[in-house]
Amino acid sequence: TSTFLSQKPKSELVRTSLRLLTSSAYRLQSECKKTLPVEMCPTTDIQLVTQQVIQCAYDIAKAAKQLVTITTKENNN
């Protein structure tokens, strides 16, 4: 774990972005596991899983962009 993530961020925006990043990463991992032959059951809807993976990836990108924007603003002040 990086020092940045192990410290408690002061900004509520940073905390919110980190929560979104973390929860989306866990969701992404969970959704991807559903596509593994060991985890896949006959009722697995691969289209739904694909949509969930896309949504998780979008949320991760959104959180990362928020963090970059926040840290850039903080560094410029």
Side-chain angles (χ1 to χ4, degrees):
T1 307
S2 74
T3 305
F4 175 74
L5 295 177
S6 63
Q7 296 173 351
K8 184 170 179 150
K10 295 175 187 169
S11 165
E12 183 59 35
L13 283 173
V14 172
R15 285 195 294 270
T16 300
S17 296
L18 288 173
R19 278 193 294 272
L20 177 60
L21 188 61
T22 304
S23 65
S24 298
Y26 282 119
R27 280 184 42 228
L28 180 61
Q29 182 182 32
S30 173
E31 294 299 330
C32 287
K33 279 185 179 179
K34 292 177 186 176
T35 65
L36 297 174
V38 177
E39 300 284 333
M40 193 181 284
C41 63
T43 59
T44 300
D45 182 347
I46 201 67
Q47 280 189 312
L48 179 60
V49 172
T50 301
Q51 288 291 64
Q52 293 298 326
V53 167
I54 291 167
Q55 183 62 51
C56 293
Y58 173 82
D59 290 340
I60 288 169
K62 179 180 171 183
K65 182 180 179 190
Q66 288 172 350
L67 287 171
V68 168
T69 301
I70 293 164
T71 54
T72 301
K73 284 181 182 177
E74 287 177 357
N75 288 339
N76 288 334
N77 288 338

